[in-house]
Amino acid sequence: MAHSAGYRYADAQAGHHHAYLLPTVFKALDALALPAGEQRLFELGCGNGSVAQVLSQRGWEVTGVDPSVEGIAQAKAAFPELKLDNGSAYDDLVGRYGRFPVVLSLEVVEHVYAPRDYAKKVFDLLGRGGVVIISTPYHGYWKNLALALTGKMDAHFTALWDHGHIKFWSMRTLGELLREAGFVDIRFVRVGRVPALAKSMVAIAQKP
Protein backbone atom coordinates (compact mmCIF):
# COMPACT_ATOMS: atom_id res chain seq x y z
CA MET A 1 0.00 0.00 0.00
CA ALA A 2 2.90 2.33 0.57
CA HIS A 3 3.39 2.97 -3.10
CA SER A 4 1.94 2.42 -6.51
CA ALA A 5 2.61 -0.96 -8.05
CA GLY A 6 5.17 0.87 -10.18
CA TYR A 7 7.31 2.01 -7.25
CA ARG A 8 10.83 0.59 -7.50
CA TYR A 9 12.69 -1.43 -4.86
CA ALA A 10 16.30 -2.33 -5.69
CA ASP A 11 16.77 -4.49 -2.59
CA ALA A 12 15.36 -5.36 0.84
CA GLN A 13 17.35 -2.78 2.79
CA ALA A 14 15.74 -0.28 5.15
CA GLY A 15 15.14 3.25 3.86
CA HIS A 16 16.85 6.35 5.23
CA HIS A 17 13.60 7.48 6.87
CA HIS A 18 13.49 4.40 9.06
CA ALA A 19 16.39 5.77 11.11
CA TYR A 20 14.18 8.51 12.57
CA LEU A 21 10.81 6.69 12.40
CA LEU A 22 11.59 3.37 14.04
CA PRO A 23 12.70 4.60 17.49
CA THR A 24 9.27 6.21 17.97
CA VAL A 25 7.55 3.10 16.59
CA PHE A 26 9.48 0.86 18.98
CA LYS A 27 8.63 3.11 21.93
CA ALA A 28 4.92 3.08 21.05
CA LEU A 29 4.88 -0.71 20.64
CA ASP A 30 6.78 -1.30 23.87
CA ALA A 31 4.32 0.93 25.73
CA LEU A 32 1.47 -1.42 24.79
CA ALA A 33 3.07 -4.13 26.95
CA LEU A 34 1.25 -6.88 25.07
CA PRO A 35 1.89 -10.47 26.18
CA ALA A 36 4.17 -12.40 23.84
CA GLY A 37 1.28 -14.41 22.40
CA GLU A 38 -0.60 -11.24 21.47
CA GLN A 39 2.25 -9.40 19.77
CA ARG A 40 0.58 -9.59 16.36
CA LEU A 41 0.86 -6.71 13.94
CA PHE A 42 -0.46 -5.93 10.47
CA GLU A 43 1.76 -3.72 8.32
CA LEU A 44 -0.25 -1.89 5.68
CA GLY A 45 2.33 -0.87 3.10
CA CYS A 46 5.15 -3.24 4.00
CA GLY A 47 7.23 -2.34 0.93
CA ASN A 48 10.31 -4.55 0.70
CA GLY A 49 9.77 -6.16 4.11
CA SER A 50 12.66 -4.42 5.88
CA VAL A 51 10.52 -3.05 8.73
CA ALA A 52 8.63 -6.33 9.11
CA GLN A 53 11.95 -8.12 9.45
CA VAL A 54 13.16 -5.77 12.20
CA LEU A 55 9.86 -6.13 14.07
CA SER A 56 9.95 -9.92 13.79
CA GLN A 57 13.40 -9.86 15.36
CA ARG A 58 11.85 -7.93 18.26
CA GLY A 59 9.29 -10.67 18.85
CA TRP A 60 6.37 -9.46 16.74
CA GLU A 61 4.38 -11.74 14.45
CA VAL A 62 4.00 -9.55 11.37
CA THR A 63 1.57 -9.90 8.49
CA GLY A 64 1.75 -7.33 5.72
CA VAL A 65 0.69 -6.30 2.25
CA ASP A 66 1.96 -3.89 -0.39
CA PRO A 67 0.83 -3.33 -4.00
CA SER A 68 4.42 -3.19 -5.26
CA VAL A 69 5.10 -6.45 -7.05
CA GLU A 70 8.81 -5.68 -7.03
CA GLY A 71 8.80 -4.81 -3.32
CA ILE A 72 7.07 -8.04 -2.31
CA ALA A 73 9.40 -10.04 -4.57
CA GLN A 74 12.38 -8.50 -2.75
CA ALA A 75 10.74 -9.23 0.61
CA LYS A 76 10.00 -12.85 -0.19
CA ALA A 77 13.52 -13.43 -1.50
CA ALA A 78 15.20 -11.85 1.54
CA PHE A 79 12.73 -12.87 4.26
CA PRO A 80 10.84 -15.99 3.09
CA GLU A 81 9.65 -16.73 6.64
CA LEU A 82 7.56 -13.54 6.80
CA LYS A 83 3.87 -13.40 5.83
CA LEU A 84 4.02 -10.61 3.25
CA ASP A 85 1.85 -10.50 0.13
CA ASN A 86 0.69 -8.22 -2.65
CA GLY A 87 -2.39 -6.26 -1.64
CA SER A 88 -3.66 -2.81 -0.68
CA ALA A 89 -6.15 -0.98 1.51
CA TYR A 90 -8.71 -1.38 -1.26
CA ASP A 91 -8.78 -5.18 -0.80
CA ASP A 92 -10.83 -7.25 1.67
CA LEU A 93 -7.98 -7.51 4.14
CA VAL A 94 -10.11 -8.40 7.16
CA GLY A 95 -11.71 -11.28 5.27
CA ARG A 96 -8.28 -12.50 4.19
CA TYR A 97 -6.22 -11.96 7.35
CA GLY A 98 -8.59 -11.24 10.24
CA ARG A 99 -8.06 -8.53 12.87
CA PHE A 100 -4.98 -7.49 14.83
CA PRO A 101 -4.05 -5.70 18.06
CA VAL A 102 -1.81 -3.30 16.09
CA VAL A 103 -1.77 -1.85 12.58
CA LEU A 104 1.40 -0.11 11.38
CA SER A 105 1.50 2.03 8.25
CA LEU A 106 4.66 4.06 7.65
CA GLU A 107 4.88 6.77 4.98
CA VAL A 108 1.77 5.46 3.22
CA VAL A 109 -1.15 7.85 3.65
CA GLU A 110 0.52 10.55 1.54
CA HIS A 111 0.35 8.18 -1.44
CA VAL A 112 -3.32 7.23 -1.04
CA TYR A 113 -5.93 8.48 -3.53
CA ALA A 114 -8.91 7.73 -1.22
CA PRO A 115 -7.70 8.40 2.34
CA ARG A 116 -11.11 7.84 3.96
CA ASP A 117 -11.25 4.33 2.48
CA TYR A 118 -7.73 3.77 3.78
CA ALA A 119 -8.61 4.99 7.29
CA LYS A 120 -11.75 2.84 7.38
CA LYS A 121 -9.75 -0.23 6.38
CA VAL A 122 -7.19 0.45 9.11
CA PHE A 123 -10.03 0.79 11.64
CA ASP A 124 -11.61 -2.48 10.45
CA LEU A 125 -8.29 -4.34 10.68
CA LEU A 126 -8.04 -3.61 14.39
CA GLY A 127 -9.70 -5.54 17.15
CA ARG A 128 -11.47 -3.70 19.97
CA GLY A 129 -8.97 -1.50 21.80
CA GLY A 130 -6.41 -1.95 19.04
CA VAL A 131 -3.81 0.69 18.21
CA VAL A 132 -2.76 2.18 14.88
CA ILE A 133 0.62 3.79 14.25
CA ILE A 134 0.76 5.90 11.09
CA SER A 135 3.58 8.10 9.84
CA THR A 136 3.64 10.68 7.07
CA PRO A 137 5.80 13.68 6.13
CA TYR A 138 5.13 16.58 8.51
CA HIS A 139 3.66 19.87 7.31
CA GLY A 140 3.18 22.89 9.53
CA TYR A 141 3.42 26.67 9.36
CA TRP A 142 7.10 27.09 10.23
CA LYS A 143 8.28 24.23 8.05
CA ASN A 144 6.22 25.41 5.09
CA LEU A 145 7.55 28.95 5.60
CA ALA A 146 11.13 27.68 5.72
CA LEU A 147 10.60 25.71 2.51
CA ALA A 148 9.22 28.79 0.78
CA LEU A 149 11.99 31.10 2.01
CA THR A 150 14.76 28.71 1.00
CA GLY A 151 13.33 27.96 -2.43
CA LYS A 152 12.88 24.26 -1.66
CA MET A 153 9.11 24.07 -2.09
CA ASP A 154 9.26 22.38 -5.51
CA ALA A 155 11.75 19.78 -4.34
CA HIS A 156 9.71 19.04 -1.22
CA PHE A 157 6.37 18.62 -2.94
CA THR A 158 7.91 16.31 -5.57
CA ALA A 159 5.45 17.05 -8.38
CA LEU A 160 7.71 15.26 -10.89
CA TRP A 161 8.06 12.05 -8.82
CA ASP A 162 6.15 9.28 -10.59
CA HIS A 163 3.97 7.44 -8.03
CA GLY A 164 5.01 10.01 -5.42
CA HIS A 165 3.14 11.97 -2.77
CA ILE A 166 -0.36 13.12 -3.66
CA LYS A 167 -1.59 14.21 -0.20
CA PHE A 168 0.18 16.58 2.20
CA TRP A 169 -0.96 16.17 5.79
CA SER A 170 -0.85 18.38 8.85
CA MET A 171 -1.59 17.17 12.37
CA ARG A 172 -4.99 18.83 12.12
CA THR A 173 -6.01 17.16 8.85
CA LEU A 174 -4.65 13.72 9.72
CA GLY A 175 -6.26 13.95 13.14
CA GLU A 176 -9.57 14.80 11.50
CA LEU A 177 -9.25 11.81 9.15
CA LEU A 178 -8.65 9.46 12.07
CA ARG A 179 -11.51 10.92 14.14
CA GLU A 180 -13.89 10.54 11.18
CA ALA A 181 -12.90 6.87 10.97
CA GLY A 182 -13.79 6.38 14.65
CA PHE A 183 -10.40 6.56 16.37
CA VAL A 184 -9.92 8.08 19.82
CA ASP A 185 -6.97 9.13 21.98
CA ILE A 186 -5.11 10.49 18.95
CA ARG A 187 -1.65 11.88 19.61
CA PHE A 188 1.28 12.93 17.45
CA VAL A 189 5.06 12.73 17.73
CA ARG A 190 7.20 14.79 15.35
CA VAL A 191 10.43 13.06 14.31
CA GLY A 192 13.57 14.01 12.41
CA ARG A 193 15.11 17.46 13.03
CA VAL A 194 13.67 19.91 15.58
CA PRO A 195 9.86 19.67 16.01
CA ALA A 196 9.00 22.84 14.05
CA LEU A 197 10.95 21.53 11.03
CA ALA A 198 10.28 17.82 11.55
CA LYS A 199 10.73 15.45 8.63
CA SER A 200 7.73 13.28 9.56
CA MET A 201 5.03 12.93 12.17
CA VAL A 202 3.84 9.72 13.79
CA ALA A 203 0.16 9.47 14.71
CA ILE A 204 -0.86 6.97 17.37
CA ALA A 205 -4.57 6.31 17.93
CA GLN A 206 -6.88 3.71 19.41
CA LYS A 207 -10.00 1.91 18.29
CA PRO A 208 -12.61 2.08 21.09
Side-chain angles (χ1 to χ4, degrees), residues 57-70:
Q57 291 174 340
R58 294 175 65 92
W60 287 86
E61 179 186 334
V62 182
T63 302
V65 297
D66 197 286
S68 171
V69 173
E70 188 174 54

mmCIF file with all atom_site columns, all heavy atoms in Angstrom, residues 57-70:
data_model
loop_
_atom_site.group_PDB
_atom_site.id
_atom_site.type_symbol
_atom_site.label_atom_id
_atom_site.label_alt_id
_atom_site.label_comp_id
_atom_site.label_asym_id
_atom_site.label_entity_id
_atom_site.label_seq_id
_atom_site.pdbx_PDB_ins_code
_atom_site.Cartn_x
_atom_site.Cartn_y
_atom_site.Cartn_z
_atom_site.occupancy
_atom_site.B_iso_or_equiv
_atom_site.pdbx_formal_charge
_atom_site.auth_seq_id
_atom_site.auth_comp_id
_atom_site.auth_asym_id
_atom_site.auth_atom_id
_atom_site.pdbx_PDB_model_num
ATOM 1   N N   . GLN A 1 57 ? 12.240 -9.614  14.506 1.00 0.00 ? 57 GLN A N   1
ATOM 2   C CA  . GLN A 1 57 ? 13.398 -9.858  15.357 1.00 0.00 ? 57 GLN A CA  1
ATOM 3   C C   . GLN A 1 57 ? 13.161 -9.358  16.784 1.00 0.00 ? 57 GLN A C   1
ATOM 4   O O   . GLN A 1 57 ? 13.824 -9.809  17.716 1.00 0.00 ? 57 GLN A O   1
ATOM 5   C CB  . GLN A 1 57 ? 14.636 -9.187  14.758 1.00 0.00 ? 57 GLN A CB  1
ATOM 6   C CG  . GLN A 1 57 ? 15.108 -9.837  13.465 1.00 0.00 ? 57 GLN A CG  1
ATOM 7   C CD  . GLN A 1 57 ? 16.243 -9.080  12.808 1.00 0.00 ? 57 GLN A CD  1
ATOM 8   O OE1 . GLN A 1 57 ? 16.468 -7.894  13.075 1.00 0.00 ? 57 GLN A OE1 1
ATOM 9   N NE2 . GLN A 1 57 ? 16.984 -9.764  11.949 1.00 0.00 ? 57 GLN A NE2 1
ATOM 10  N N   . ARG A 1 58 ? 12.201 -8.444  16.933 1.00 0.00 ? 58 ARG A N   1
ATOM 11  C CA  . ARG A 1 58 ? 11.852 -7.932  18.255 1.00 0.00 ? 58 ARG A CA  1
ATOM 12  C C   . ARG A 1 58 ? 10.688 -8.689  18.878 1.00 0.00 ? 58 ARG A C   1
ATOM 13  O O   . ARG A 1 58 ? 10.133 -8.270  19.885 1.00 0.00 ? 58 ARG A O   1
ATOM 14  C CB  . ARG A 1 58 ? 11.515 -6.440  18.162 1.00 0.00 ? 58 ARG A CB  1
ATOM 15  C CG  . ARG A 1 58 ? 12.719 -5.569  17.786 1.00 0.00 ? 58 ARG A CG  1
ATOM 16  C CD  . ARG A 1 58 ? 12.309 -4.120  17.590 1.00 0.00 ? 58 ARG A CD  1
ATOM 17  N NE  . ARG A 1 58 ? 11.833 -3.498  18.823 1.00 0.00 ? 58 ARG A NE  1
ATOM 18  C CZ  . ARG A 1 58 ? 12.589 -2.826  19.688 1.00 0.00 ? 58 ARG A CZ  1
ATOM 19  N NH1 . ARG A 1 58 ? 13.900 -2.699  19.448 1.00 0.00 ? 58 ARG A NH1 1
ATOM 20  N NH2 . ARG A 1 58 ? 12.085 -2.278  20.762 1.00 0.00 ? 58 ARG A NH2 1
ATOM 21  N N   . GLY A 1 59 ? 10.303 -9.810  18.267 1.00 0.00 ? 59 GLY A N   1
ATOM 22  C CA  . GLY A 1 59 ? 9.294  -10.671 18.849 1.00 0.00 ? 59 GLY A CA  1
ATOM 23  C C   . GLY A 1 59 ? 7.886  -10.510 18.316 1.00 0.00 ? 59 GLY A C   1
ATOM 24  O O   . GLY A 1 59 ? 6.964  -11.174 18.792 1.00 0.00 ? 59 GLY A O   1
ATOM 25  N N   . TRP A 1 60 ? 7.708  -9.669  17.306 1.00 0.00 ? 60 TRP A N   1
ATOM 26  C CA  . TRP A 1 60 ? 6.374  -9.455  16.739 1.00 0.00 ? 60 TRP A CA  1
ATOM 27  C C   . TRP A 1 60 ? 6.081  -10.439 15.606 1.00 0.00 ? 60 TRP A C   1
ATOM 28  O O   . TRP A 1 60 ? 6.955  -10.716 14.781 1.00 0.00 ? 60 TRP A O   1
ATOM 29  C CB  . TRP A 1 60 ? 6.234  -8.031  16.228 1.00 0.00 ? 60 TRP A CB  1
ATOM 30  C CG  . TRP A 1 60 ? 6.113  -7.040  17.339 1.00 0.00 ? 60 TRP A CG  1
ATOM 31  C CD1 . TRP A 1 60 ? 7.142  -6.436  18.019 1.00 0.00 ? 60 TRP A CD1 1
ATOM 32  C CD2 . TRP A 1 60 ? 4.912  -6.575  17.947 1.00 0.00 ? 60 TRP A CD2 1
ATOM 33  N NE1 . TRP A 1 60 ? 6.655  -5.610  18.994 1.00 0.00 ? 60 TRP A NE1 1
ATOM 34  C CE2 . TRP A 1 60 ? 5.287  -5.672  18.985 1.00 0.00 ? 60 TRP A CE2 1
ATOM 35  C CE3 . TRP A 1 60 ? 3.558  -6.814  17.714 1.00 0.00 ? 60 TRP A CE3 1
ATOM 36  C CZ2 . TRP A 1 60 ? 4.348  -5.032  19.780 1.00 0.00 ? 60 TRP A CZ2 1
ATOM 37  C CZ3 . TRP A 1 60 ? 2.624  -6.171  18.509 1.00 0.00 ? 60 TRP A CZ3 1
ATOM 38  C CH2 . TRP A 1 60 ? 3.019  -5.294  19.534 1.00 0.00 ? 60 TRP A CH2 1
ATOM 39  N N   . GLU A 1 61 ? 4.862  -10.933 15.574 1.00 0.00 ? 61 GLU A N   1
ATOM 40  C CA  . GLU A 1 61 ? 4.384  -11.742 14.451 1.00 0.00 ? 61 GLU A CA  1
ATOM 41  C C   . GLU A 1 61 ? 3.750  -10.781 13.457 1.00 0.00 ? 61 GLU A C   1
ATOM 42  O O   . GLU A 1 61 ? 2.689  -10.209 13.716 1.00 0.00 ? 61 GLU A O   1
ATOM 43  C CB  . GLU A 1 61 ? 3.354  -12.762 14.920 1.00 0.00 ? 61 GLU A CB  1
ATOM 44  C CG  . GLU A 1 61 ? 2.795  -13.627 13.802 1.00 0.00 ? 61 GLU A CG  1
ATOM 45  C CD  . GLU A 1 61 ? 1.679  -14.530 14.281 1.00 0.00 ? 61 GLU A CD  1
ATOM 46  O OE1 . GLU A 1 61 ? 1.651  -14.872 15.484 1.00 0.00 ? 61 GLU A OE1 1
ATOM 47  O OE2 . GLU A 1 61 ? 0.814  -14.887 13.447 1.00 0.00 ? 61 GLU A OE2 1
ATOM 48  N N   . VAL A 1 62 ? 4.406  -10.585 12.319 1.00 0.00 ? 62 VAL A N   1
ATOM 49  C CA  . VAL A 1 62 ? 4.001  -9.552  11.366 1.00 0.00 ? 62 VAL A CA  1
ATOM 50  C C   . VAL A 1 62 ? 3.360  -10.170 10.130 1.00 0.00 ? 62 VAL A C   1
ATOM 51  O O   . VAL A 1 62 ? 3.893  -11.106 9.534  1.00 0.00 ? 62 VAL A O   1
ATOM 52  C CB  . VAL A 1 62 ? 5.210  -8.695  10.939 1.00 0.00 ? 62 VAL A CB  1
ATOM 53  C CG1 . VAL A 1 62 ? 4.774  -7.591  9.978  1.00 0.00 ? 62 VAL A CG1 1
ATOM 54  C CG2 . VAL A 1 62 ? 5.901  -8.094  12.165 1.00 0.00 ? 62 VAL A CG2 1
ATOM 55  N N   . THR A 1 63 ? 2.219  -9.622  9.765  1.00 0.00 ? 63 THR A N   1
ATOM 56  C CA  . THR A 1 63 ? 1.574  -9.903  8.487  1.00 0.00 ? 63 THR A CA  1
ATOM 57  C C   . THR A 1 63 ? 1.514  -8.584  7.742  1.00 0.00 ? 63 THR A C   1
ATOM 58  O O   . THR A 1 63 ? 1.250  -7.540  8.348  1.00 0.00 ? 63 THR A O   1
ATOM 59  C CB  . THR A 1 63 ? 0.152  -10.450 8.697  1.00 0.00 ? 63 THR A CB  1
ATOM 60  O OG1 . THR A 1 63 ? 0.207  -11.638 9.492  1.00 0.00 ? 63 THR A OG1 1
ATOM 61  C CG2 . THR A 1 63 ? -0.518 -10.765 7.358  1.00 0.00 ? 63 THR A CG2 1
ATOM 62  N N   . GLY A 1 64 ? 1.762  -8.595  6.438  1.00 0.00 ? 64 GLY A N   1
ATOM 63  C CA  . GLY A 1 64 ? 1.753  -7.333  5.717  1.00 0.00 ? 64 GLY A CA  1
ATOM 64  C C   . GLY A 1 64 ? 1.404  -7.463  4.260  1.00 0.00 ? 64 GLY A C   1
ATOM 65  O O   . GLY A 1 64 ? 1.509  -8.550  3.679  1.00 0.00 ? 64 GLY A O   1
ATOM 66  N N   . VAL A 1 65 ? 0.978  -6.347  3.678  1.00 0.00 ? 65 VAL A N   1
ATOM 67  C CA  . VAL A 1 65 ? 0.688  -6.295  2.246  1.00 0.00 ? 65 VAL A CA  1
ATOM 68  C C   . VAL A 1 65 ? 1.265  -5.013  1.656  1.00 0.00 ? 65 VAL A C   1
ATOM 69  O O   . VAL A 1 65 ? 1.443  -4.013  2.360  1.00 0.00 ? 65 VAL A O   1
ATOM 70  C CB  . VAL A 1 65 ? -0.820 -6.347  1.935  1.00 0.00 ? 65 VAL A CB  1
ATOM 71  C CG1 . VAL A 1 65 ? -1.437 -7.657  2.406  1.00 0.00 ? 65 VAL A CG1 1
ATOM 72  C CG2 . VAL A 1 65 ? -1.559 -5.153  2.538  1.00 0.00 ? 65 VAL A CG2 1
ATOM 73  N N   . ASP A 1 66 ? 1.532  -5.059  0.369  1.00 0.00 ? 66 ASP A N   1
ATOM 74  C CA  . ASP A 1 66 ? 1.959  -3.890  -0.387 1.00 0.00 ? 66 ASP A CA  1
ATOM 75  C C   . ASP A 1 66 ? 1.599  -4.147  -1.858 1.00 0.00 ? 66 ASP A C   1
ATOM 76  O O   . ASP A 1 66 ? 1.729  -5.282  -2.326 1.00 0.00 ? 66 ASP A O   1
ATOM 77  C CB  . ASP A 1 66 ? 3.467  -3.673  -0.245 1.00 0.00 ? 66 ASP A CB  1
ATOM 78  C CG  . ASP A 1 66 ? 3.883  -2.267  -0.655 1.00 0.00 ? 66 ASP A CG  1
ATOM 79  O OD1 . ASP A 1 66 ? 3.898  -1.973  -1.871 1.00 0.00 ? 66 ASP A OD1 1
ATOM 80  O OD2 . ASP A 1 66 ? 4.166  -1.458  0.247  1.00 0.00 ? 66 ASP A OD2 1
ATOM 81  N N   . PRO A 1 67 ? 1.168  -3.113  -2.589 1.00 0.00 ? 67 PRO A N   1
ATOM 82  C CA  . PRO A 1 67 ? 0.826  -3.332  -4.003 1.00 0.00 ? 67 PRO A CA  1
ATOM 83  C C   . PRO A 1 67 ? 2.030  -3.450  -4.923 1.00 0.00 ? 67 PRO A C   1
ATOM 84  O O   . PRO A 1 67 ? 1.884  -3.834  -6.083 1.00 0.00 ? 67 PRO A O   1
ATOM 85  C CB  . PRO A 1 67 ? -0.002 -2.101  -4.357 1.00 0.00 ? 67 PRO A CB  1
ATOM 86  C CG  . PRO A 1 67 ? 0.497  -1.047  -3.443 1.00 0.00 ? 67 PRO A CG  1
ATOM 87  C CD  . PRO A 1 67 ? 0.832  -1.744  -2.158 1.00 0.00 ? 67 PRO A CD  1
ATOM 88  N N   . SER A 1 68 ? 3.229  -3.120  -4.417 1.00 0.00 ? 68 SER A N   1
ATOM 89  C CA  . SER A 1 68 ? 4.416  -3.187  -5.264 1.00 0.00 ? 68 SER A CA  1
ATOM 90  C C   . SER A 1 68 ? 4.831  -4.638  -5.490 1.00 0.00 ? 68 SER A C   1
ATOM 91  O O   . SER A 1 68 ? 5.300  -5.324  -4.568 1.00 0.00 ? 68 SER A O   1
ATOM 92  C CB  . SER A 1 68 ? 5.570  -2.420  -4.623 1.00 0.00 ? 68 SER A CB  1
ATOM 93  O OG  . SER A 1 68 ? 6.767  -2.651  -5.337 1.00 0.00 ? 68 SER A OG  1
ATOM 94  N N   . VAL A 1 69 ? 4.692  -5.093  -6.708 1.00 0.00 ? 69 VAL A N   1
ATOM 95  C CA  . VAL A 1 69 ? 5.101  -6.455  -7.050 1.00 0.00 ? 69 VAL A CA  1
ATOM 96  C C   . VAL A 1 69 ? 6.598  -6.623  -6.811 1.00 0.00 ? 69 VAL A C   1
ATOM 97  O O   . VAL A 1 69 ? 7.053  -7.643  -6.268 1.00 0.00 ? 69 VAL A O   1
ATOM 98  C CB  . VAL A 1 69 ? 4.744  -6.767  -8.522 1.00 0.00 ? 69 VAL A CB  1
ATOM 99  C CG1 . VAL A 1 69 ? 5.313  -8.121  -8.942 1.00 0.00 ? 69 VAL A CG1 1
ATOM 100 C CG2 . VAL A 1 69 ? 3.230  -6.745  -8.709 1.00 0.00 ? 69 VAL A CG2 1
ATOM 101 N N   . GLU A 1 70 ? 7.363  -5.613  -7.196 1.00 0.00 ? 70 GLU A N   1
ATOM 102 C CA  . GLU A 1 70 ? 8.809  -5.680  -7.027 1.00 0.00 ? 70 GLU A CA  1
ATOM 103 C C   . GLU A 1 70 ? 9.193  -5.688  -5.547 1.00 0.00 ? 70 GLU A C   1
ATOM 104 O O   . GLU A 1 70 ? 10.068 -6.442  -5.114 1.00 0.00 ? 70 GLU A O   1
ATOM 105 C CB  . GLU A 1 70 ? 9.470  -4.498  -7.723 1.00 0.00 ? 70 GLU A CB  1
ATOM 106 C CG  . GLU A 1 70 ? 10.985 -4.584  -7.760 1.00 0.00 ? 70 GLU A CG  1
ATOM 107 C CD  . GLU A 1 70 ? 11.565 -3.464  -8.596 1.00 0.00 ? 70 GLU A CD  1
ATOM 108 O OE1 . GLU A 1 70 ? 11.256 -2.283  -8.327 1.00 0.00 ? 70 GLU A OE1 1
ATOM 109 O OE2 . GLU A 1 70 ? 12.321 -3.770  -9.526 1.00 0.00 ? 70 GLU A OE2 1
#
